[in-house]
Amino acid sequence: PPRRRRAPALHPRPPPRGGLPTRRRRRRAFNQLLKYGGVALVALLVAIAASWPWLSPSGRNGILVAGLIAYPIQMLAFFLLIRFWGDTKRFLLFWVGGTVVRMGVILAAVPVVTWMDALPVAPTLLGLAGFFFGLLLLEPLFLRPRGAETTEII
């Protein structure tokens, strides 16, 4: 019987599950990012508007700053999740990494906000944590399950 040739030890990695990214997949991912960004922005604005009457003027500034910090960080985290959706290991790495970054931002904000006299500590930190948590809960609505290329929740 003829001998089978073995693949070289250093062969290229196979493409991620679902094949290489196509223009249509990139466009779909970009649309998901835009949809998430719009809904996240509306959710932030609704949360700020709902808490506005009960806050002092400095407390209002605190939650506005918290929203300005949370939104871009959340958008970057969601972009990375969509980018590595087909690659399970990288997806989980960026999912856990995004959670660690959010916690790190909150922990880094504690000494900064307590040091600054312009922003009240409680509304700013609670707003930051609340915005991160609320926007994190929105993420699964915009992540498409595997194998469901034609179905969308939102």
Side-chain angles (χ1 to χ4, degrees):
R3 292 179 78 179
R4 296 180 100 189
R5 294 180 85 178
R6 295 181 71 180
L10 298 174
H11 59 280
R13 294 180 69 187
R17 193 176 208 183
L20 296 174
T22 63
R23 185 176 293 171
R24 193 173 85 187
R25 281 191 196 166
R26 286 187 197 136
R27 188 178 314 129
R28 196 174 300 142
F30 185 69
N31 286 337
Q32 282 179 286
L33 182 66
L34 288 179
K35 287 178 187 178
Y36 175 78
V39 171
L41 185 59
V42 168
L44 276 177
L45 293 175
V46 167
I48 290 170
S51 61
W52 200 262
W54 290 278
L55 292 171
S56 66
S58 63
R60 292 173 182 165
N61 289 337
I63 63 166
L64 287 174
V65 168
L68 289 173
I69 293 170
Y71 185 74
I73 292 171
Q74 192 64 32
M75 289 300 295
L76 178 63
F78 187 73
F79 167 75
L80 291 172
L81 287 181
I82 288 177
R83 169 70 179 87
F84 295 105
W85 176 248
D87 186 355
T88 306
K89 288 181 183 179
R90 287 187 181 170
F91 175 82
L92 289 175
L93 176 72
F94 281 102
W95 180 60
V96 171
T99 303
V100 170
V101 166
R102 290 177 193 107
M103 287 189 287
V105 167
I106 293 170
L107 289 175
V110 171
V112 172
V113 172
T114 54
W115 177 68
M116 294 177 66
D117 290 332
L119 296 174
V121 177
T124 307
L125 294 179
L126 289 174
L128 187 60
F131 292 150
F132 277 143
F133 182 70
L135 296 177
L136 184 66
L137 291 178
L138 287 177
E139 283 180 0
L141 299 175
F142 294 90
L143 292 173
R144 191 171 302 138
R146 249 177 234 196
E149 291 291 320
T150 59
T151 60
E152 290 187 33
I153 294 173
I154 293 181

